Amino acid sequence: ARFRFDRVAVEGSEARYALLLELPEGNCSGTARLGPAGVTLDPISPPPPAWALAQATAQLRTVAKNHSRDGDWPRRVHRWRAPRGA
């Protein structure tokens, strides 16, 4: 599975990312907002499996945590993960 997050906007202390989850079951897309309050996912279509949603959320939390340390919102983040049980 491939997880891709592309930064689309920075508004004050928050960043907005477009999400693309390329899964064996098919692709899922949506948006997320990252900032001091944490990670907020907008509806992802079609809804991904629970393991993929948990993985994407964890990766986005890491991006937000790294931002709080270094002050940078990365332009693009790619991560590869094997599906659970594979």
Side-chain angles (χ1 to χ4, degrees):
R2 182 176 137 183
F3 297 80
R4 178 175 166 167
F5 313 127
D6 291 311
R7 188 186 69 209
V8 294
V10 175
E11 300 153 352
S13 62
E14 293 189 345
R16 194 163 27 102
Y17 282 84
L19 315 177
L20 177 60
L21 313 180
E22 296 178 12
L23 309 170
E25 301 88 349
N27 293 349
C28 305
S29 60
T31 58
R33 286 171 281 136
L34 288 66
V39 174
T40 304
L41 292 173
D42 295 327
I44 297 175
S45 179
W51 72 265
L53 184 60
Q55 185 66 236
T57 302
Q59 292 174 8
L60 289 166
R61 277 192 205 117
T62 299
V63 170
K65 185 166 77 171
N66 290 344
H67 169 74
S68 68
R69 270 189 298 210
D70 62 25
D72 184 38
W73 292 113
R75 189 170 58 91
R76 181 173 290 132
V77 178
H78 286 124
R79 297 288 183 264
W80 293 86
R81 295 290 179 261
R84 297 274 164 97

